Amino acid sequence: MTHALPGYVCPDDGARADVRTAPWRCPLCAGPWDLDFTPDPAAPLNPAAGPPSLWRYGSALPLPGAFAVTLSEGNTPLVPMAERIHAKLDYLMPTLSFKDRGAVMLAEVARRLAPRRVVADSSGNAGTAVAAYCARAGLSCEVFVPEGTSERKTGQMRAHGAAVRVVPGGREAAALAARAAADEPGVFYASHVFNPYFLHGTKTYVYEIWEELGGRLPQALVLPVGNGTLLLGAALAVAELARRGVRPPDLIAVQSEAVAPLAEAFAAGAEDAAPVEQRPTLAEGIAIPAPPRARQILAAVRAGGGTFLTVPDDRLRAAQLDLARRGLFVEPTAAACWAAVGPGAPGDPLRGRTAVLPLCGAGAKTGLAH
């Protein structure tokens, strides 16, 4: 039996498109797509009866019918860190980052569409996740990375069978090269930024917290934000669970002080973020000077009663070391939320609220920051 895939809809101009024939971005405004999908709040949601992967939330996911692609991703531990703060260890995913949540969704969509090849662009973690899940799905994969990308990450991509294209320049140069390839016939662009199926994978992060906390959510979710894929997925899940009667948490977004276009726009009361200079920072995974979904991210944080926090590199370095001393070795970007709200953070950013933060990527991919 063939099941139709939910289609794309543009959040800015309302344009709609069939996933099977659509370009990778809205043809009218060139912006990223959203998905024409809202789970039925009356549909049974019984994850304990499902498979040991994020597919356990099948009734809330936009892929009808039987799935074939999985590495038993998800179900990452939730551990206490400090009074009223828990951390979710998403660096224990199969490819060592939270990006597996979205990559498995994109690989399953691509498997059903059967393209000639899959392309992606990444500074590391998204590319390794897409490469791994394409390997699992038997799909040809090509990942465009900026020069200077960690050899540990590109080596992982190659080990999974992906063709790695190193592009001179920074992150945006790699994205432009991938998008040029994405315009070719028979290509599926597995973009963790432009393709909304990715966000419906990352939303399972919040569904797992809801399950682990016995059917409730904390008073705040603290989330690192560059392109916003985890925060926007979290916002989707919070809204969906609210329709099931679950009290929504505040959304607290964290950026690197060096590259913080969203924090600056939020402070100025702007609806969109102006591009900023690309500056060096230890938190390279969230150092995005012009996020394509900036308007959506800002709107989600405001609607969620949250705020933005920024952290300098010295606090990132200290937070990564502090986490390692607690037995949790993560990459510098993954230490951003702990730097923002942990015991060493200035002031009282949580104001007494219970909170969960993610540890998104393994330190084995980068080593300890110096």
Side-chain angles (χ1 to χ4, degrees):
M1 179 178 179
T2 301
H3 295 269
L5 293 170
Y8 297 139
V9 59
C10 178
D12 290 331
D13 55 44
R16 294 179 179 273
D18 188 313
V19 173
R20 296 169 298 178
T21 56
W24 57 268
R25 61 182 173 183
C26 174
L28 300 182
C29 70
W33 293 111
D34 277 354
L35 206 58
D36 188 12
F37 172 77
T38 302
D40 180 359
L45 186 59
N46 183 20
S53 70
L54 59 77
W55 298 109
R56 65 202 282 116
Y57 306 105
S59 63
L61 297 175
L63 287 171
F67 65 89
V69 182
T70 186
L71 290 168
S72 292
E73 57 291 318
N75 298 307
T76 56
L78 191 66
V79 299
M81 294 294 295
E83 186 179 3
R84 305 176 73 81
I85 303 176
H86 281 72
K88 190 157 171 60
L89 310 190
D90 259 26
Y91 72 93
L92 298 180
M93 287 284 196
T95 77
L96 309 182
S97 92
F98 86 96
K99 295 288 177 62
D100 289 14
R101 294 187 184 277
V104 67
M105 297 288 288
L106 293 184
E108 178 65 23
V109 172
R111 183 191 69 83
R112 299 185 188 196
L113 297 178
R116 181 169 51 84
R117 79 183 199 276
V118 174
V119 302
D121 59 274
S122 171
S123 59
N125 286 336
T128 57
V130 170
Y133 283 94
C134 281
R136 191 69 173 171
L139 296 165
S140 174
C141 179
E142 187 175 6
V143 185
F144 293 80
V145 302
E147 59 184 352
T149 298
S150 164
E151 291 185 5
R152 299 184 190 188
K153 294 181 179 180
T154 56
Q156 187 180 356
M157 295 174 203
R158 292 188 177 97
H160 291 311
V164 177
R165 310 298 183 204
V166 180
V167 180
R171 180 68 182 81
E172 187 60 23
L176 291 173
R179 292 165 193 172
D183 287 328
E184 298 172 9
V187 173
F188 177 79
Y189 184 26
S191 171
H192 59 291
V193 181
F194 278 83
N195 193 301
Y197 277 94
F198 194 93
L199 306 181
H200 283 266
T202 61
K203 77 181 182 184
T204 60
Y205 168 82
V206 171
Y207 275 95
E208 287 182 18
I209 294 171
W210 164 80
E211 183 182 358
E212 289 162 324
L213 293 180
R216 60 183 177 85
L217 292 174
Q219 292 168 310
L221 291 172
V222 187
L223 300 153
V225 178
N227 277 310
T229 53
L230 183 55
L231 183 137
L232 289 173
L236 281 171
V238 165
E240 292 168 7
L241 287 168
R243 287 190 283 271
R244 293 178 178 268
V246 179
R247 183 177 178 177
D250 299 335
L251 301 181
I252 299 176
V254 179
Q255 292 213 282
S256 165
E257 190 176 273
V259 184
L262 295 160
E264 292 172 16
F266 185 86
E271 293 184 359
D272 204 350
V276 299
E277 181 183 352
Q278 179 74 73
R279 296 174 179 166
T281 174
L282 294 175
E284 61 182 9
I286 54 173
I288 308 298
R293 292 187 183 269
R295 293 177 66 90
Q296 289 177 277
I297 297 165
L298 291 164
V301 173
R302 290 192 174 106
T307 191
F308 276 82
L309 303 173
T310 61
V311 290
D313 272 11
D314 61 343
R315 290 227 314 272
L316 281 167
R317 189 178 293 107
Q320 185 196 26
L321 185 59
D322 181 65
L323 287 166
R325 294 289 188 263
R326 296 168 185 261
L328 305 167
F329 188 35
V330 300
E331 60 185 356
T333 298
C337 291
W338 187 239
V341 303
D348 182 18
L350 290 176
R351 301 196 306 276
R353 290 170 290 187
T354 58
V356 173
L357 57 87
L359 298 180
C360 299
K365 292 191 173 193
T366 59
L368 195 64
H370 298 289

